Amino acid sequence: MERYQGILAYCETANGKLSPLDTELLGTGSQLATELGQSLSALLIGTDVGAIASEPLAYGASKVYVVEGPLFKDYITEIYLVGLAKVISETSPEIVLLGQTQIGRDLAPRLAFRLKTAATLDCTALTIDPATKRMLMTKPVFGGNAMAIQMCEVSPQIVTLRSKAFSPPVKDSSRQGEIIKISVAIDPASTRTKFLERKTEAVSGIKLEEAKVIVTGGRGIGGPEGFKQLEELAQILKGAVGASRPPCDNKWVSDNLQVGLTGKIVSPKMCIAVAVSGSSQHLSGYSGAKVIVAINKDAEANIFKVAHYGVVGDWKKVLPVFLAEVKKLVS
Amino acid sequence: MINIIVCVKQTTDPEAPPCSFKIDSSANRVIFPAGIPPVISTFDEYAMEAALRIKDKVGGKITALSLGVNLLRDVVKKTLSMGADELVLLEDPAFADGDSWSTAYALSMAIKKIGDYDLILCGRQAVDWDSGQVGSGIAEILGLPSVTVARKVEIVEGKARVERVIPDGYELIEMSLPGVVTLGNEHAAPRYPNVRSIMAAKRKEPIVWKPADIGVDPAMIGSRGRRVKLTRLFQSARYTKCEMVSADTPEEAARKLVAKLRANKVI
Ligand SMILES: Cc1cc2nc3c(=O)[nH]c(=O)nc-3n(C[C@H](O)[C@H](O)[C@H](O)COP(=O)(O)OP(=O)(O)OC[C@H]3O[C@@H](n4cnc5c(N)ncnc54)[C@H](O)[C@@H]3O)c2cc1C
Ligand SMILES: Nc1ncnc2c1ncn2[C@@H]1O[C@H](COP(=O)(O)O)[C@@H](O)[C@H]1O
């Protein structure tokens, strides 16, 4: 056990910068490091991540490992896995932090199985058990109906963190540290998966994950036309439209709008939930919402148990007036 | 011809009303709600659908594989009525209460015994513990490539073409076979079994394997094989006091709601 020391945070970066979730990892990592009397390192992997190699230092890392090369242009599990596993085998961290993103949730389990340890995904809280000095990892289970606290008895302990569940640290650009390049050689011919292309839908307007106001629609909206009204409301409030799963499954809106456990995690100041029942899976996505306003025709709907303001009624009657009134206020 | 193995887990019904969900926190256990039968984990039905679409197109054999205890035949046979050719159950108390690691290990050993496979499909995560690891675990144990959270899988010239979901769209990945793919609900919805296939499934018996049949190390399966221990299970009370805005008409309620939000500086 003595062999493992320190905390490693894998920062995915986005658009040539640390992502908000990356900074949340670093903040959590420094807290754990302080508590354990160990140090925090960051890892960057990509084609030209060296340019921002000093960034993690400002958020609490004392070392930054950089794995760079044309091989890392697009995310491929096998290739990134080799990079990550090499850094871990050379540095033997006790704790490895990743973000609960498409990449983090793909990498963490494979990494754990490769290193003969175990991963815990989608954690919302991490503390250190005073007796064993191991992590107590809290994660939602059963679609958010319950929380489990787990402990991994093998090292390194690998976890992914849910976005917006941990607070980011204050940036201090005066902090210094070491930047270490690690070279990873992979024969591309040996990989069995190949990236062919990426198809993205441009999001017009404000991104769901960043919006301060969100208007979400559920199955009760009944079709794509209804979502036009939600969009209008979102636009007036300078917000974005989201949806529960049924509107996505029914193709009324794009899959990218799904909010929840298996969709986007949002943390707006206000969320207006229209004709959604408030399933635990959907509400998992609202983790950071400060104020929830619900419109639903069923007074017993679960959404009213978590909402701050509610109207029982048919949205087709409530929403047009709501929209008109908000318009008056804003103009 | 493609041989596909689909891993399906029997779970509590995730769409049961939240109020029916209860736990016994002293024993760290979920109390299975009376009268709400278990189901096949949601995403595993999408994995079945992905398998069936491949079979429809290029032909092949689908083997459904499920590990657990008290596997209700009516539940797990849904794989057969959807169109699986074979159902293999790893059913024994020794397999119970595993974590992702011990489950992936036992499933991998069963897959080795099945032997002839090109593609292994799983759900992105089981809807009970939301662990999200067994697919990747099987891939790592068997030394196979994997793509997770897919919305489409096709076989083109002996390789899999997989559309992997990303936040604003998807990436197309080519994977050589054999390999593992996990499915999300972005994939086309699972089909409903028809009456004829339900009747046929009723007559077909699953193959049941015990730990000794698949040559597992007893210390590595079920609760004995866990690497992750559950220390506490609880329900967080996140209920708020909702201010209900009521009026004689819905229109009036809308007006009052906006006024209230304004007064409280929410808008
Ligand atoms: C593993 C798993 C993961 C999941 N992940 C997600 C996820 O990430 N996000 C997600 O959203 N769901 C997810 N789900 C699905 C989730 O369980 C629910 O099925 C879903 O959230 C229900 O959506 P809904 O509230 O829109 O529909 P319903 O539950 O059908 O509710 C519709 C509501 O609309 C109301 N209504 C109907 N007509 C009107 C009207 N005219 N005016 C006012 N109100 C009206 C009804 O009273 C009802 O409350 C997941 C499920 C599983 C099993
Ligand atoms: N007991 C099981 N039997 C069969 N397949 C399973 C079992 N547990 C997990 N799986 C498969 O692995 C996927 C992911 O599960 P998990 O990693 O437990 O969230 C599930 O969607 C299933 O496809």
Side-chain angles (χ1 to χ4, degrees), chain A residues 10-12 18-28 98-101 160-166 168:
Chain A
Y10 167 50
C11 300
E12 277 175 34
L18 291 183
S19 71
L21 181 53
D22 289 337
T23 64
E24 291 156 24
L25 294 185
L26 292 167
T28 310
L98 298 93
Q100 174 74 356
T101 60
T160 70
L161 275 54
R162 177 178 287 198
S163 91
K164 288 154 187 149
F166 298 84

Side-chain angles (χ1 to χ4, degrees), chain A residues 20 164 206-214 240 265-268:
Chain A
K164 288 154 187 149
I206 300 158
K207 274 177 93 175
L208 202 46
E209 299 95 313
E210 290 157 12
K212 296 271 184 288
V213 175
I214 289 178
I265 307 280
V266 297
S267 62

Side-chain angles (χ1 to χ4, degrees), chain A residues 75-78 81 100 102-103 105-106 108-114 116-122 136-154 192-203 209 219 237 245 249 251 255-256 258 261-264 269-270 272 278-281 283-284 286-287 291-295 299 302 304-314 317-319 321-323 325-326 329-330, chain B residues 11-19 21 23 28 30 32 42-43 46 99-102 104-105 124-149 151 159 161 164-178 180 185-187 189 226-236 238-246 250-262 264 266-267:
Chain A
Y75 174 74
I76 280 289
T77 312
E78 294 179 84
L81 194 60
Q100 174 74 356
Q102 288 309 337
I103 292 179
R105 65 158 66 100
D106 181 65
R110 273 210 87 141
L111 184 68
F113 276 85
R114 182 156 298 186
K116 307 251 178 307
T117 176
T120 302
L121 271 60
D122 204 17
L136 291 170
M137 309 171 284
T138 306
K139 70 162 279 163
V141 292
F142 289 84
N145 276 315
M147 304 294 275
I149 302 182
Q150 302 183 336
M151 191 194 277
C152 173
E153 303 190 317
V154 193
R192 296 158 296 174
T193 34
K194 205 163 96 193
F195 176 90
L196 298 182
E197 62 173 331
R198 180 176 299 118
K199 284 257 167 57
T200 55
E201 257 174 60
V203 208
E209 299 95 313
R219 197 198 311 263
L237 293 168
R245 203 174 87 182
D249 283 355
K251 307 289 167 218
D255 282 333
N256 307 339
Q258 184 179 319
L261 182 68
T262 48
K264 303 254 156 55
K269 289 212 169 73
M270 174 172 63
I272 306 175
S279 69
S280 46
Q281 293 93 352
L283 293 175
S284 293
Y286 289 14
S287 60
V291 176
I292 298 175
V293 181
I295 301 172
N302 197 59
F304 291 124
K305 298 216 170 80
V306 296
H308 303 85
Y309 301 92
V311 169
V312 178
D314 185 345
K317 300 218 169 79
V318 178
L319 204 71
V321 182
F322 187 86
L323 190 75
E325 290 290 307
V326 173
L329 280 183
V330 172
Chain B
T11 63
T12 46
D13 185 348
E15 310 247 14
C19 60
F21 186 86
I23 55 175
N28 278 344
V30 174
F32 291 94
T42 314
F43 302 111
Y46 285 88
D99 62 2
S100 304
W101 147 247
S102 47
Y105 165 67
R124 61 175 288 176
Q125 65 198 65
V127 298
D128 45 8
W129 294 95
D130 290 316
S131 169
Q133 308 196 37
V134 165
S136 302
I138 292 171
E140 193 59 34
I141 292 171
L142 297 176
L144 304 176
S146 62
V147 180
T148 59
V149 194
R151 42 167 273 168
K159 289 184 174 178
R161 287 212 169 188
R164 186 177 99 85
V165 177
I166 56 172
D168 52 355
Y170 68 90
E171 291 176 347
L172 187 63
I173 308 288
E174 184 185 80
M175 179 181 80
S176 67
L177 300 178
V180 180
N185 64 283
E186 291 83 355
H187 187 276
R226 289 188 80 106
R227 287 173 175 171
V228 174
K229 293 273 182 301
L230 177 67
T231 60
R232 203 179 145 215
L233 185 66
F234 64 101
Q235 279 182 290
S236 61
R238 74 175 273 220
Y239 292 142
T240 53
K241 207 175 152 343
C242 185
E243 231 182 282
M244 296 308 256
V245 180
S246 52
E251 292 80 5
E252 197 46 42
R255 254 175 238 124
K256 269 174 84 177
L257 174 61
V258 175
K260 185 157 271 180
L261 293 176
R262 186 59 168 196
N264 293 350
V266 182
I267 310 190

